[in-house]
Amino acid sequence: TLTQELIGTALDISGDIDIDGTSNLDIVDIDGAVDMASTLSVSGTTTMTNASNATQLILQSTDADSSSGPVLELFRNSSSPADNDATGLIYFYGENDASEKIAYGQIFTQMKDVTDGTEDGSIEFYTLMGGASTLKLTLSPTESVFNENSADIDFRVESNGDANAL
């Protein structure tokens, strides 16, 4: 039993640790499973690495009702929101044959109008085309646009046995 501060350069504990209060840890290396029964708050950059093609992140809801779940929330919590502020950007990266990290796809969202009661949002989908990020689809408050910047791409709508479905 310790009742005062313990200062040391190494501590090896075999067994359980129960911390009742706040812990400030500079580096944590956990080799086993982590089970958190409360909210996890992480500031800074977080990297999850897996040396296989296995899933890196699973959001699992065990609720058995008709509500949506699980839910992934990206929240731009600004003290001064303004029209056209970004609300999120998701990159889909891979490497090319020169081992360079390349963004092959992106999803970008914006708050087009932040006026209370008349809020508007937009979402844009980009893919890499000939080495350049190309806007393919925009869903905005007043329109849905495919190929806004007139890239040299085909547009096709298919249906069962009908070559001209549009």
Side-chain angles (χ1 to χ4, degrees):
T1 301
L2 295 172
T3 58
Q4 295 180 352
E5 185 174 319
L6 173 66
I7 299 174
T9 58
L11 177 62
D12 187 358
I13 299 174
S14 84
D16 297 336
I17 299 174
D18 185 3
I19 299 171
D20 186 15
T22 301
S23 296
N24 183 1
L25 307 170
D26 292 331
I27 298 174
V28 178
D29 183 5
I30 300 172
D31 294 329
V34 176
D35 184 6
M36 294 191 182
S38 185
T39 301
L40 170 65
S41 179
V42 178
S43 61
T45 301
T46 302
T47 301
M48 291 183 277
T49 303
N50 187 332
S52 72
N53 287 321
T55 303
Q56 277 82 30
L57 176 65
I58 297 172
L59 303 178
Q60 180 174 326
S61 172
T62 58
D63 195 11
D65 62 19
S66 63
S67 295
S68 56
V71 175
L72 172 64
E73 179 177 307
L74 305 177
F75 178 32
R76 173 95 185 233
N77 189 5
S78 171
S79 62
S80 57
D83 290 354
N84 297 314
D85 279 356
T87 53
L89 176 60
I90 300 172
Y91 286 102
F92 299 88
Y93 284 104
E95 287 187 344
N96 64 12
D97 62 3
S99 296
E100 298 170 320
K101 181 179 176 183
I102 304 293
Y104 285 91
Q106 301 168 36
I107 300 174
F108 175 70
T109 64
Q110 273 185 305
M111 306 181 293
K112 300 307 277 184
D113 181 359
V114 298
T115 307
D116 185 28
T118 62
E119 298 90 351
D120 293 322
S122 70
I123 186 167
E124 298 174 343
F125 295 85
Y126 294 80
T127 62
L128 204 61
M129 184 174 153
S133 182
T134 304
L135 176 62
K136 297 290 181 73
L137 177 64
T138 302
L139 306 173
S140 71
T142 58
E143 61 187 0
S144 298
V145 180
F146 177 78
N147 197 18
E148 172 77 21
N149 298 324
S150 301
D152 186 15
I153 57 176
D154 294 334
F155 177 77
R156 183 174 70 239
V157 177
E158 294 185 13
S159 92
N160 190 11
D162 189 352
N164 300 303
L166 184 63

